[in-house]
Amino acid sequence: MPRITPLPLKNVKIDDPFWNRYIKLVREKVIPYQWEALNDRVPDASRSNCVKNFEIAAGRREGAFYGNAWQDSDLYKWLEAVAFSLENEPDSELERLADGAIELIGAAQQPDGYVNTYYTLKEPGHRFTNLQQGHELYCAGHMIEAAVAYYRATGKRQFLDIAERCADCVDNTFGVEDGKLRGYPGHQEIELALVKLSHTTGEERWLKLAEYFLRERGAKPYYFDLEQEKPGFSALWRSPAHFGGYSQSHTPPLEQKEAVGHAVRAMYMYSAMADLAIEGTPGYAEACETLYRDVTEHKMYITGAIGSTREGESFAGAYDLPGDTAYCETCASVGLMMFSRRMAALTGAAEYIDICERALYNTVLAGISLSGTEFFYVNPLEAEPERIARNPSLSHVEAVRQKWFDCSCCPTNITRTIMGLGEYIYAVSDEGIWVNLFCSGEAADGERRIKVRSEYPYGNRVSITLTGGRYKLFLRNPSNAPVIKMRKNAQTRDVITENGYIVLSDDWTGDLVEILMDIDPKPVYTNLKVQNNAGKAAVVRGPLVYCAEEADNGKNLGSYILPGKLVFEALTAPDGLPPETVALKTAVSRYADKTESLYSYTVPEIEDAELKLIPYFLWANRGVGEMRTQFIKQQPILPENR
Amino acid sequence: MPRITPLPLKNVKIDDPFWNRYIKLVREKVIPYQWEALNDRVPDASRSNCVKNFEIAAGRREGAFYGNAWQDSDLYKWLEAVAFSLENEPDSELERLADGAIELIGAAQQPDGYVNTYYTLKEPGHRFTNLQQGHELYCAGHMIEAAVAYYRATGKRQFLDIAERCADCVDNTFGVEDGKLRGYPGHQEIELALVKLSHTTGEERWLKLAEYFLRERGAKPYYFDLEQEKPGFSALWRSPAHFGGYSQSHTPPLEQKEAVGHAVRAMYMYSAMADLAIEGTPGYAEACETLYRDVTEHKMYITGAIGSTREGESFAGAYDLPGDTAYCETCASVGLMMFSRRMAALTGAAEYIDICERALYNTVLAGISLSGTEFFYVNPLEAEPERIARNPSLSHVEAVRQKWFDCSCCPTNITRTIMGLGEYIYAVSDEGIWVNLFCSGEAADGERRIKVRSEYPYGNRVSITLTGGRYKLFLRNPSNAPVIKMRKNAQTRDVITENGYIVLSDDWTGDLVEILMDIDPKPVYTNLKVQNNAGKAAVVRGPLVYCAEEADNGKNLGSYILPGKLVFEALTAPDGLPPETVALKTAVSRYADKTESLYSYTVPEIEDAELKLIPYFLWANRGVGEMRTQFIKQQPILPENR
């Protein structure tokens, strides 16, 4: 199969009624806000100390390291978001700020290329002694990703040089050769970063190093056991029991068949495995496919959220998807987007983008407030603030987004994902242009140019104008919003789908392709093995999962009953939500809350009611209140049971 | 109001088709088994070391203390169960065994009366320095309870003397006087034990000491903070955050209005508060009533289980009663029985016994296997073994009963409760005899004698023969199984209830009172504020909550739908359950498990099915499998929604 690659951000212009809000928000508000947070200038926010740690490590400031062993990565992910932003649209002031931060990172780098403020400041001399917890390779990975992006955006080599010196240090330290450590990261991330670095620099060595980390992982004797026996090992925290499964190092990645452990680690590793599969490394395509199926067919919420238990921020077993105690880390859904995009590139199949889109429009966007300055780390599928406040089993859940976190991985991960959206919208191959997400704007691949006008996700019309000669348009036909009508130059055409794409080949000279999708609101039923959802339904409209909020419906949202035949009316946005928002209204029934007693023999009365729904990703933007995505669904009645 | 007191066990004879099985089991199997467990002679059981700790403390064995700071209490609760058993029915061999254990406790007692093997062996010189965690007063309380019971059963003073010396030591140590510690226990228990000791010995001092502990609790400055500042304080474990609420010492007990924190601590404290209320101490009756309402009207499962979150084995907020993550410690329901019995004695109202019975027949009995050698600590309302095995958020839940526990408070608590059942069955007052639980047998209060024949809980007929002159019969009319027909000497009488009791006054000379109760199986609906139960119903029959098990119904029990009109058929016991068991069968619907996909737009098909139910307390006696108590309930249909 011809290689499918993302279209670089500089070749993508976004001008979209839905996305402009977010891109403007991130560029004007979120990126500056996060810089303030990284510099501890946001009142009442969790302490970051991230920039200060670098300043101390660079000898520019007195003080002690503060934060987690992975604190550095917050700056790197912010820089990657900045790089994407600059690649989308130059901004000399922002670039100057980033240059300063990069210079600071360089100043904190050790002569041999090593960069990590935690070990430099807090455990000098102990570098790489605690790979399972130390996060040095994880941080290095995020630095490399940021450096690659910054080089691509600005053409400046300074950050890339820092990253290559760091990669050199890693390469000199790890490997099967005598005198090297046969270790691998406790938190995967550097593997996929090294693939990017290799692609950017043309240096084979980085690809081989990525391959080494994945091949060595989980080998016996088990490195994470061995390192604990070495002098100098000191634990940073109490690792979860079964660290092997938690960190997907229980067995070599190629042999893994089930998604287990920490969901973010898993996604980053699977993404790197997919990268190797794309490179043609044998075995990885099959392993990725198996793992992808396990995640998305057994362990994914309808919102594209994954990792259902807070213990170890981990996957639970198949079909174990509770709505209230859900963990569903925002970063894990970012990771699912990353994995999905690579699987689509590997296979040329659109179904992976369907999942990617689900994660993006629901969980990832839920991670950020409309104001851009508050974030969710945990994304429950239902929330009762009064329960949350009183029940320590729900202490991981927040009913309101937070300014920052002690472990603040999610905010910058959202930022870089939104600013890197272009890579998700389009892909290109020798054959042509792939339209994966529907987003108004333009894309150019050499002479090949397309212009998209999209009403998505609230509207159902997309039109594409194509120029630039003979090539194929691969237009995703989403399973969540199937194309029901297509026209080419105003002529109706049959909708024929290959691998989930409508493939149109022509010598394009300004031709117009128009599609109409079915985004009628629909109830969605969960597999009955997810027993807490039995007898219930969620409501979706295209890729958007809808939820009910207390602000629109009052309390006790669990009492609503969706009728057998659902008729939805689209509403204009409720106050406090963006004007483009399509809310929904439907006639329903509701159990009447008339009894005071805790248990009763009396059949609860049912009354007529109206249920208003908003897109899930917009919840908790209008104060604290209940939220729910799964509703009791009226059963069809069997005659004998009437 | 005249004082209502339990009828001493020696005045109660139980010969009951339901209870004989349990009493025989406990006497012949459980008590010997638990002695073996306390002596670490049960293969593959959690280590106890309890008896060894005493032997080491008594200087009879070399070795180190092992276990929790409250390890001693397991022996005390076992001895209390033995005492009850001996009071019910003498057994010289068992008495000899108990005498030996008591002699050992005496040998481990310090010259000033202090007994606690943890501090004696592990932290000599640090006694009473860590009241919040040390459990010395908790253990002393259980010793006192056991000693009182043993004295009552055997007339032997040795154990009572040990207990009084211990109480002396406590009394010399604690109080408001100069030179005394103004502390109180981290785990309440000694308060109610001191009330018993006072009643048994006639010594006012113990009652005053109990009052002191309850009055001082939660006073400012906060003792548990002060003791942490003292030299010699060393933490035994990481206390839960908000230790004050956890241990109900956040505010003085008299001012407490909401049940919070560790459920067992709460129940033991409320029981002592009720004891003081019965003594006439001002304020306690009102406080107890408020707390009782909060527990049973907002925070109790239908099984009489309480303490819904595993974090701190604690109460969550009102209406927060998840079925799957439930904690529901067996000991907490034992505590609810204790509290309820005292509230009934305080008020003369039967509703407290309704709750007591619910806890007994469902959660407490669920705590022990039919074989008598396995126990539940945690009592979920639904269980999916495959989820439990894979989800660390459910790691507190076991799908099979265990031989013993690292913290093994529950097994001996069940044992002492079953052997002390007589105190729950009857009560007496100057006015007459109170029949609280329905259990065949005899009771004597001086000349007043009654003989009961009961089919309860599986059957609905109870008859009582009364002799002994003029007095009142207070016959509980249970809300769970209301009396629908009554006859006195074969004459039908109207059922008139006062405070939940049918009160019959006569000059009894062998008269016969017969009642017939409504124990037809019924669906029970939970208050809609318990949102996870909305649209569902449990099935009860009299006091028994029923459940479905995989053994009878296969997997995916969440897919069953109870029809609008439920018709139950009583079944003989399934294989593996006691022959007297009444199982239920009903025609239902079921969502057909026909789709492989995780999410689907297709309305799940519904098929006819049959659901078999067994009493909840018998679950998990036939291998590992799913269990469920709440079922989807067919909604009545509103015309507009058909």
Short mmCIF file of all heavy atoms in Angstrom, two decimals, chain A residues 428-452:
data_model
loop_
_atom_site.label_atom_id
_atom_site.label_comp_id
_atom_site.label_asym_id
_atom_site.label_seq_id
_atom_site.Cartn_x
_atom_site.Cartn_y
_atom_site.Cartn_z
N VAL A 428 -2.24 12.48 3.06
CA VAL A 428 -1.93 12.41 1.63
C VAL A 428 -1.16 11.13 1.33
O VAL A 428 -0.50 10.57 2.20
CB VAL A 428 -1.09 13.62 1.15
CG1 VAL A 428 -1.92 14.89 1.21
CG2 VAL A 428 0.18 13.78 1.98
N SER A 429 -1.32 10.70 0.13
CA SER A 429 -0.52 9.58 -0.36
C SER A 429 -0.24 9.87 -1.82
O SER A 429 -0.74 10.86 -2.38
CB SER A 429 -1.29 8.27 -0.22
OG SER A 429 -2.44 8.28 -1.06
N ASP A 430 0.57 9.04 -2.46
CA ASP A 430 0.84 9.25 -3.89
C ASP A 430 -0.46 9.31 -4.67
O ASP A 430 -0.58 10.04 -5.64
CB ASP A 430 1.69 8.09 -4.43
CG ASP A 430 3.10 8.15 -3.89
OD1 ASP A 430 3.47 9.20 -3.30
OD2 ASP A 430 3.83 7.15 -4.03
N GLU A 431 -1.45 8.56 -4.19
CA GLU A 431 -2.70 8.48 -4.94
C GLU A 431 -3.55 9.73 -4.87
O GLU A 431 -4.31 10.01 -5.79
CB GLU A 431 -3.54 7.32 -4.42
CG GLU A 431 -2.99 5.95 -4.74
CD GLU A 431 -4.00 4.89 -4.37
OE1 GLU A 431 -4.13 4.60 -3.17
OE2 GLU A 431 -4.68 4.37 -5.27
N GLY A 432 -3.42 10.42 -3.72
CA GLY A 432 -4.29 11.59 -3.63
C GLY A 432 -4.42 12.13 -2.22
O GLY A 432 -3.54 11.92 -1.38
N ILE A 433 -5.53 12.79 -1.98
CA ILE A 433 -5.76 13.47 -0.70
C ILE A 433 -6.88 12.75 0.05
O ILE A 433 -7.91 12.40 -0.54
CB ILE A 433 -6.14 14.95 -0.94
CG1 ILE A 433 -4.97 15.68 -1.61
CG2 ILE A 433 -6.52 15.62 0.38
CD1 ILE A 433 -5.24 17.15 -1.90
N TRP A 434 -6.64 12.54 1.31
CA TRP A 434 -7.60 11.87 2.18
C TRP A 434 -8.24 12.91 3.08
O TRP A 434 -7.54 13.63 3.81
CB TRP A 434 -6.89 10.82 3.04
CG TRP A 434 -6.11 9.80 2.24
CD1 TRP A 434 -5.01 10.02 1.47
CD2 TRP A 434 -6.41 8.40 2.13
NE1 TRP A 434 -4.59 8.87 0.86
CE2 TRP A 434 -5.43 7.84 1.26
CE3 TRP A 434 -7.40 7.57 2.66
CZ2 TRP A 434 -5.43 6.49 0.93
CZ3 TRP A 434 -7.37 6.22 2.34
CH2 TRP A 434 -6.40 5.68 1.47
N VAL A 435 -9.54 13.00 3.03
CA VAL A 435 -10.25 13.92 3.93
C VAL A 435 -10.81 13.08 5.08
O VAL A 435 -11.75 12.31 4.91
CB VAL A 435 -11.39 14.66 3.20
CG1 VAL A 435 -12.17 15.52 4.19
CG2 VAL A 435 -10.81 15.52 2.08
N ASN A 436 -10.18 13.25 6.24
CA ASN A 436 -10.56 12.42 7.39
C ASN A 436 -11.57 13.11 8.29
O ASN A 436 -12.60 12.55 8.62
CB ASN A 436 -9.30 12.02 8.17
CG ASN A 436 -8.58 10.88 7.47
OD1 ASN A 436 -9.21 10.01 6.87
ND2 ASN A 436 -7.26 10.90 7.52
N LEU A 437 -11.24 14.32 8.70
CA LEU A 437 -12.21 15.07 9.50
C LEU A 437 -12.82 16.16 8.63
O LEU A 437 -12.18 16.65 7.69
CB LEU A 437 -11.53 15.70 10.72
CG LEU A 437 -10.84 14.73 11.69
CD1 LEU A 437 -10.29 15.51 12.89
CD2 LEU A 437 -11.78 13.63 12.15
N PHE A 438 -14.02 16.54 8.94
CA PHE A 438 -14.73 17.54 8.14
C PHE A 438 -14.57 18.89 8.81
O PHE A 438 -15.06 19.11 9.91
CB PHE A 438 -16.20 17.16 7.99
CG PHE A 438 -16.35 15.79 7.41
CD1 PHE A 438 -16.74 14.72 8.20
CD2 PHE A 438 -16.05 15.55 6.08
CE1 PHE A 438 -16.85 13.45 7.67
CE2 PHE A 438 -16.15 14.28 5.53
CZ PHE A 438 -16.55 13.22 6.33
N CYS A 439 -13.86 19.75 8.11
CA CYS A 439 -13.47 21.02 8.70
C CYS A 439 -13.25 22.00 7.56
O CYS A 439 -12.48 21.72 6.63
CB CYS A 439 -12.18 20.77 9.51
SG CYS A 439 -11.48 22.24 10.23
N SER A 440 -13.93 23.11 7.62
CA SER A 440 -13.79 24.07 6.52
C SER A 440 -12.38 24.62 6.45
O SER A 440 -11.75 24.89 7.47
CB SER A 440 -14.76 25.24 6.72
OG SER A 440 -16.09 24.78 6.79
N GLY A 441 -11.93 24.79 5.21
CA GLY A 441 -10.59 25.32 5.04
C GLY A 441 -9.99 24.85 3.73
O GLY A 441 -10.71 24.44 2.81
N GLU A 442 -8.67 24.87 3.69
CA GLU A 442 -7.99 24.49 2.46
C GLU A 442 -6.82 23.58 2.76
O GLU A 442 -6.24 23.66 3.84
CB GLU A 442 -7.46 25.74 1.74
CG GLU A 442 -8.59 26.63 1.26
CD GLU A 442 -8.05 27.91 0.63
OE1 GLU A 442 -7.04 27.84 -0.10
OE2 GLU A 442 -8.65 28.97 0.90
N ALA A 443 -6.51 22.78 1.79
CA ALA A 443 -5.34 21.92 1.92
C ALA A 443 -4.61 21.87 0.59
O ALA A 443 -5.24 21.90 -0.47
CB ALA A 443 -5.78 20.51 2.32
N ALA A 444 -3.29 21.82 0.69
CA ALA A 444 -2.48 21.79 -0.52
C ALA A 444 -1.44 20.70 -0.39
O ALA A 444 -0.76 20.59 0.62
CB ALA A 444 -1.80 23.15 -0.73
N ASP A 445 -1.36 19.89 -1.43
CA ASP A 445 -0.30 18.90 -1.50
C ASP A 445 0.34 19.05 -2.86
O ASP A 445 -0.10 18.46 -3.85
CB ASP A 445 -0.89 17.49 -1.30
CG ASP A 445 0.18 16.41 -1.35
OD1 ASP A 445 1.34 16.70 -0.93
OD2 ASP A 445 -0.13 15.29 -1.79
N GLY A 446 1.37 19.89 -2.92
CA GLY A 446 1.93 20.25 -4.22
C GLY A 446 0.88 21.00 -5.02
O GLY A 446 0.25 21.94 -4.53
N GLU A 447 0.64 20.54 -6.23
CA GLU A 447 -0.36 21.18 -7.08
C GLU A 447 -1.78 20.84 -6.67
O GLU A 447 -2.73 21.52 -7.04
CB GLU A 447 -0.15 20.76 -8.54
CG GLU A 447 1.15 21.25 -9.13
CD GLU A 447 1.24 22.78 -9.05
OE1 GLU A 447 0.34 23.47 -9.58
OE2 GLU A 447 2.20 23.27 -8.40
N ARG A 448 -1.87 19.71 -5.97
CA ARG A 448 -3.21 19.25 -5.58
C ARG A 448 -3.75 20.13 -4.47
O ARG A 448 -3.13 20.28 -3.43
CB ARG A 448 -3.12 17.80 -5.07
CG ARG A 448 -2.60 16.83 -6.13
CD ARG A 448 -2.29 15.47 -5.52
NE ARG A 448 -1.84 14.55 -6.55
CZ ARG A 448 -1.39 13.33 -6.30
NH1 ARG A 448 -1.35 12.87 -5.04
NH2 ARG A 448 -1.00 12.56 -7.28
N ARG A 449 -4.90 20.70 -4.73
CA ARG A 449 -5.49 21.60 -3.74
C ARG A 449 -6.96 21.32 -3.60
O ARG A 449 -7.67 21.15 -4.59
CB ARG A 449 -5.30 23.05 -4.19
CG ARG A 449 -3.95 23.60 -3.80
CD ARG A 449 -3.50 24.74 -4.70
NE ARG A 449 -2.06 24.85 -4.62
CZ ARG A 449 -1.43 25.56 -3.69
NH1 ARG A 449 -2.10 26.25 -2.80
NH2 ARG A 449 -0.11 25.61 -3.66
N ILE A 450 -7.39 21.33 -2.35
CA ILE A 450 -8.84 21.21 -2.13
C ILE A 450 -9.28 22.29 -1.17
O ILE A 450 -8.51 22.78 -0.34
CB ILE A 450 -9.25 19.81 -1.59
CG1 ILE A 450 -8.70 19.58 -0.19
CG2 ILE A 450 -8.80 18.71 -2.54
CD1 ILE A 450 -9.22 18.30 0.42
N LYS A 451 -10.52 22.65 -1.36
CA LYS A 451 -11.14 23.65 -0.49
C LYS A 451 -12.41 23.02 0.06
O LYS A 451 -13.22 22.49 -0.70
CB LYS A 451 -11.46 24.90 -1.32
CG LYS A 451 -11.98 26.03 -0.51
CD LYS A 451 -11.98 27.33 -1.31
CE LYS A 451 -12.56 28.44 -0.43
NZ LYS A 451 -12.56 29.74 -1.09
N VAL A 452 -12.53 23.07 1.37
CA VAL A 452 -13.65 22.39 2.03
C VAL A 452 -14.57 23.40 2.69
O VAL A 452 -14.09 24.33 3.34
CB VAL A 452 -13.11 21.38 3.09
CG1 VAL A 452 -14.27 20.71 3.83
CG2 VAL A 452 -12.19 20.36 2.46
#
